[in-house]
Amino acid sequence: MTTWHDFLLREGKVPDWPYPVNYEAGQEIEGDVLVIGGGIAGCWAAISAARCGARVILVEKGDTIRSGAGGPGCDHYCDIPTNPLSKVDPDEWAQEMTGPYSNGIGTQIQCREGYDTLLEYEQMGAKIRDDKDEYLGVEGRDEKTKLMASPRQNKDHCRNTVLRVWGYTFKPALKKECKRLGVRIFDRVMVTGLLNEHGIPGNRVVGAVGFNNRTGEFLVFKAKATILCTAGNHSLYVLNTELSGYNSFRSRTMTGDGFAMAWRAGAELTLMETTGPLVLGLGFRHTWYGGAGDASYENVQLVDANGKKLPIPTQGWRDGSMPDAFIPLLPTIREGVLKGEYALPFYGDFPAMPPEEQRATWYMMLREESTSRIIVDTYSAAGFDPAKHQLMSYQLLEGDSPKQWRVPGRGGVLVDWDLRTSLEGLYAAGEQMFAARDHSFCAATGRYAGRKAAAYAKETTEPVISAEQVSREKERIYAPVKRSSGLEWKELHAGIGRAMQYFCSEYLTDSLLRLGLQSLEEIEEEYVPKLYALDPHKLMRSLEDLSLLTHAQIIIHASLARKASSKLLNFYRIDYPEVDPQEWNKYLVIKNENGKVVTRMLPQYFWGDMKEKYEAHNRDYQGVYQGK
Amino acid sequence: MTAKKVALPNLVTPNTPVIFNPEKCVGCNHCVEVCQIDVFIPNPEKGKPPIILHPDECWYCGCCVNDCPHPGAVKFNWPLQQRGYWRDKETGEVFRLK
């Protein structure tokens, strides 16, 4: 008996809710630093703040042990040029990685401190080297340090800025370290709103409220400093809630809660107008993670059905390319297929690799990355052997992702060199920031925000929360459980997704975007009051929908405000066709000021000289964690 | 075919992301804890495998199986449309994940 209906048929009744439900009743928790989101950035922020002497509260929607996009693992630790194998200067590499509309602040932090986070992972008990000599002879393995350099952006070992790691060991180590340092962890708690001093948006942030998604319990967190470390938003444009497994690089829990919270609290956000095609297990290599088995991953040569090599870089040592290097080549390959030059389907030619490289790719790299460990294990158990077998690739077979099925892009909270947002007391790290990057970026920026928030907490006054704001938020949270009919979360989610597909997708015009806003307002006024939730879990999904709704509105407001097209942002306004005109080659910053949308512009590279600024803000870095 | 007939709505599908082995599963509920989205709830009967309550929210991360402390107690079960193919390089024979 495993499924719900098995239980029902056998027992003649549905199972009781397994946790004691206690809506609204709750507790107030007080600390120096509150971290919202227990993924990679959040755990690092909590650990760092605790090491700096702060009393830390960490709140996580799932369970910190495996939650977040980085919960299941991480195969590559990228852009850590202070590692001993590196052949590049960290500050120069940070510059190199910082193009238009990127995040120079976070990238500089990643390049300077990313390797330090990796060493600290090791101190926490995670594995970062081939200390058992399992991968002797693998290209990039350094005998002295037993670190394994990756071929990513590393043609013929010219850079060594990326290391292959055993990321499956990371997340449990982080949780253990949080516990060791006395971080108070609240798992299964969804934070729904930030608290401002005197309850007025735009004021200093003094905490947050949320509820337990198993018991319904209400929680009020009061803190001197708060760090937003929640994730992006994967499912905004997705109508079918049962499709979550198709693009399994992100889980269902990532619903833009942080953007919505920051917006309602009055913080500034930027790049919110960017969206891009959602890869529904179509074409792009990360299909692999969806279990579909696209073998065209790093180091593996793709061949056609007749064994003919495809002109796609292998991301190996001889070409050193990045995972998306094949995208511009696809139209030519498609043409070749239609002319009979290449035969479908394609295969990843594992047997053509030297045996040690087969092992390093299949058994190490792919078993350590996010959701692919279970793929490797189930395929291996079913008989797949990289020494004999070629894994099918679904390039072209799956077609292109429809342009209306999208994901929000680089938008996020605006931060300064302390990773402080535009609001006093509120910091942000990881994917919560604008133009965020990968695992090591989240680790390094989380750790950095943790120490900056702890330093602020030492200097600041006691926070005072507004009882009125708390009760307003409480009313908002529990409204859906007071109804037992109306609109369920899945339908609301689909309704929001459809409005975005119609009015804020491939075809962008002022009038379409305004129709979109109107449609979302109608949803807010007519349908949200009908939302119902039958248990605390569905209450969480309902509140996530409200995050989606706010996030959708921010995207449309930002899209309306950018009156130009941009190739760099993949943003095309039919009514403003000029692409990247000089006067619009800027970051659009947006915030909610007393219900009014306010925007301003920031120039490219507004963060100034990265090396100089970083050093000016971190003179104490060498000693900051010593003995902790 | 003598079982009592009941009226059920269409079930959420796919609905079996994992298969528990009741012989080996001791109902420790570790999988219930590591799942970041609460696909499972503990079985009301102690010592029995968890119940799959929210299969439609599964993102197939595999942590429930990867982290299970009791070998063989739980097996991953890819939805049919997620089962990939491979072929033997020498013979050309094509296999599909079973």
Side-chain angles (χ1 to χ4, degrees):
Chain A
M1 172 174 36
T2 53
T3 62
W4 177 84
H5 61 275
D6 284 338
F7 183 93
L8 173 66
L9 294 174
R10 187 168 131 174
E11 302 288 322
K13 59 169 193 172
V14 300
D16 288 336
W17 188 251
Y19 311 105
V21 174
N22 206 0
Y23 288 128
E24 303 203 24
Q27 47 175 322
E28 184 176 307
I29 301 105
E30 197 236 316
D32 297 324
V33 174
L34 166 67
V35 181
I36 303 174
I40 301 303
C43 285
W44 273 104
I47 288 166
S48 168
R51 284 181 184 170
C52 293
R55 295 170 303 142
V56 182
I57 304 160
L58 174 61
V59 191
E60 161 58 40
K61 250 202 289 193
D63 189 304
T64 316
I65 195 161
R66 284 288 179 202
S67 60
C74 163
D75 61 342
H76 278 85
Y77 223 68
C78 299
D79 301 314
I80 46 167
T82 66
N83 84 75
L85 309 185
S86 166
K87 294 178 184 171
V88 301
D89 175 80
D91 300 316
E92 283 172 18
W93 187 247
Q95 285 284 348
E96 177 86 22
M97 293 287 96
T98 306
Y101 298 118
S102 60
N103 182 338
I105 300 168
T107 306
Q108 177 72 20
I109 294 167
Q110 177 182 23
C111 287
R112 276 292 191 102
E113 300 184 20
Y115 183 63
D116 297 344
T117 61
L118 192 60
L119 290 177
E120 288 175 21
Y121 262 132
E122 188 173 39
Q123 288 161 12
M124 294 173 203
K127 183 172 164 70
I128 69 162
R129 329 171 185 261
D130 184 31
D131 41 7
K132 289 182 187 151
D133 295 338
E134 289 171 275
Y135 296 100
L136 287 171
V138 171
E139 195 165 351
R141 183 184 183 279
D142 175 60
E143 181 49 37
K144 193 170 154 222
T145 60
K146 299 187 191 285
L147 292 170
M148 306 245 311
S150 157
R152 193 178 278 187
Q153 288 179 303
N154 198 14
K155 184 171 160 48
D156 296 320
H157 308 259
C158 63
R159 294 193 183 109
N160 286 345
T161 54
V162 181
L163 297 180
R164 290 169 161 186
V165 291
W166 286 258
Y168 175 68
T169 62
F170 287 1
K171 201 72 203 302
L174 287 175
K175 182 164 190 181
K176 200 170 142 203
E177 182 68 1
C178 283
K179 284 184 164 171
R180 189 185 73 82
L181 291 164
V183 172
R184 280 173 292 165
I185 301 174
F186 291 82
D187 282 327
R188 308 288 171 191
V189 173
M190 175 184 182
V191 172
T192 61
L194 296 168
L195 296 171
N196 303 88
E197 207 157 50
H198 306 301
I200 299 168
N203 281 0
R204 175 187 167 195
V205 170
V206 289
V209 303
F211 70 99
N212 185 300
N213 57 50
R214 287 180 170 177
T215 66
E217 184 194 15
F218 185 63
L219 295 122
V220 180
F221 301 100
K222 186 166 94 171
K224 291 175 181 168
T226 300
I227 313 175
L228 261 187
C229 297
T230 50
N233 185 350
H234 150 67
S235 59
L236 179 56
Y237 287 75
V238 180
L239 301 191
N240 186 337
T241 52
E242 291 171 31
L243 285 178
S244 58
Y246 278 75
N247 183 354
S248 50
F249 219 41
R250 290 289 186 276
S251 89
R252 159 87 29 221
T253 51
M254 296 168 196
T255 47
D257 304 336
F259 304 132
M261 269 185 256
W263 176 258
R264 290 193 290 119
E268 286 188 322
L269 298 119
T270 191
L271 299 179
M272 295 306 287
E273 64 276 28
T274 59
T275 65
L278 168 71
V279 188
L280 275 174
L282 302 165
F284 188 57
R285 280 163 210 229
H286 285 155
T287 11
W288 210 89
Y289 299 104
D294 184 338
S296 56
Y297 204 65
E298 298 197 32
N299 251 334
V300 186
Q301 177 69 55
L302 269 190
V303 296
D304 82 344
N306 300 321
K308 186 175 176 180
K309 278 188 191 177
L310 289 156
I312 291 179
T314 64
Q315 303 167 74
W317 294 102
R318 304 291 85 81
D319 57 57
S321 65
M322 282 296 283
D324 54 2
F326 76 103
I327 294 173
L329 305 168
L330 271 183
T332 320
I333 293 169
R334 184 174 180 274
E335 221 169 279
V337 167
L338 294 173
K339 283 185 192 155
E341 202 180 324
Y342 303 114
L344 289 168
F346 302 154
Y347 289 92
D349 196 1
F350 280 87
M353 301 164 79
E356 62 279 4
E357 301 295 332
Q358 281 165 15
R359 280 200 311 119
T361 298
W362 183 251
Y363 292 109
M364 179 195 159
M365 185 180 83
L366 294 171
R367 277 195 91 230
E368 298 300 330
E369 169 63 336
S370 186
T371 56
S372 55
R373 168 175 287 248
I374 193 67
I375 301 176
V376 171
D377 288 353
T378 43
Y379 280 50
S380 297
F384 178 83
D385 177 356
K388 290 197 296 191
H389 297 136
Q390 298 174 314
L391 198 59
M392 194 182 283
S393 155
Y394 308 99
Q395 289 290 5
L396 302 183
L397 294 180
E398 291 179 299
D400 298 324
S401 189
K403 287 182 177 160
Q404 283 69 26
W405 290 77
R406 301 174 87 81
V407 273
R410 299 184 212 179
V413 178
L414 185 67
V415 289
D416 65 13
W417 274 100
D418 284 334
L419 298 188
R420 208 199 86 167
T421 69
S422 63
L423 299 182
E424 190 188 342
L426 184 66
Y427 295 74
E431 228 177 43
Q432 198 66 85
M433 289 189 288
F434 69 98
R437 307 179 78 226
D438 50 3
H439 189 117
S440 59
F441 177 93
C442 292
T445 56
R447 180 169 169 273
Y448 186 103
R451 69 174 187 263
K452 297 296 180 185
Y456 165 80
K458 269 183 201 155
E459 306 285 310
T460 193
T461 52
E462 277 302 310
V464 181
I465 58 178
S466 148
E468 196 267 328
Q469 192 179 21
V470 170
S471 85
R472 237 186 302 142
E473 185 62 7
K474 193 173 186 177
E475 200 174 319
R476 189 179 81 94
I477 292 175
Y478 293 104
V481 297
K482 294 180 177 135
R483 293 180 281 267
S484 57
S485 65
L487 196 74
E488 233 251 344
W489 72 271
K490 288 190 174 192
E491 189 177 353
L492 181 60
H493 187 152
I496 296 164
R498 182 64 95 193
M500 291 302 277
Q501 288 195 343
Y502 281 173
F503 304 121
C504 188
S505 185
E506 187 186 2
Y507 311 105
L508 295 175
T509 68
D510 200 87
S511 52
L512 276 173
L513 289 164
R514 287 190 191 285
L515 273 175
L517 270 189
Q518 194 185 318
S519 171
L520 294 175
E521 268 164 35
E522 189 200 5
I523 287 174
E524 194 170 6
E525 285 162 17
E526 298 285 325
Y527 297 97
V528 169
K530 297 189 172 87
L531 186 61
Y532 72 98
L534 298 176
D535 60 50
H537 182 86
K538 293 176 185 65
L539 181 60
M540 167 174 66
R541 299 291 176 236
S542 303
L543 268 290
E544 286 175 345
D545 280 358
L546 304 187
S547 299
L548 296 175
L549 182 59
T550 303
H551 190 188
Q553 287 165 328
I554 306 168
I555 292 172
I556 297 191
H557 282 305
S559 301
L560 273 167
R562 182 173 285 279
K563 297 189 188 306
S565 292
S566 172
K567 185 170 188 237
L568 295 163
L569 293 172
N570 187 27
F571 179 84
Y572 295 98
R573 288 278 305 250
I574 293 167
D575 43 358
Y576 295 98
E578 197 184 344
V579 175
D580 292 308
Q582 193 56 37
E583 69 273 23
W584 280 98
N585 197 0
K586 291 180 181 133
Y587 289 75
L588 179 87
V589 179
I590 190 164
K591 71 169 176 177
N592 161 31
E593 200 175 271
N594 304 320
K596 205 173 134 230
V597 176
V598 177
T599 60
R600 68 181 176 114
M601 305 294 268
L602 277 173
Q604 295 289 349
Y605 312 107
F606 62 86
W607 43 77
D609 184 295
M610 287 155 58
K611 182 182 176 195
E612 208 175 273
K613 290 280 187 181
Y614 172 84
E615 285 177 355
H617 280 79
N618 296 285
R619 295 199 195 287
D620 61 344
Y621 178 62
Q622 288 310 322
V624 73
Y625 300 112
Q626 265 172 26
K628 292 153 185 168
Chain B
M1 301 305 283
T2 54
K4 188 181 162 195
K5 295 287 183 286
V6 293
L8 283 173
N10 282 324
L11 300 172
V12 168
T13 49
N15 60 28
T16 318
V18 297
I19 295 168
F20 290 100
N21 179 346
E23 304 298 313
K24 293 189 175 167
C25 175
V26 300
C28 74
N29 293 323
H30 189 65
C31 52
V32 179
E33 295 314 312
V34 298
C35 177
Q36 65 173 273
I37 55 185
D38 266 348
V39 166
F40 311 107
I41 53 170
N43 197 310
E45 198 178 334
K46 285 216 181 325
K48 296 285 178 200
I51 293 165
I52 302 166
L53 187 67
H54 303 122
D56 46 334
E57 297 179 17
C58 180
W59 69 304
Y60 305 100
C61 75
C63 290
C64 52
V65 175
N66 296 338
D67 289 358
C68 175
H70 301 278
V74 58
K75 193 175 157 234
F76 214 68
N77 184 45
W78 292 103
L80 182 55
Q81 77 277 16
Q82 299 282 84
R83 290 172 177 248
Y85 300 80
W86 63 85
R87 73 171 178 189
D88 189 298
K89 189 174 178 178
E90 262 189 37
T91 66
E93 190 184 352
V94 175
F95 304 92
R96 186 180 195 189
L97 185 69
K98 285 199 169 57

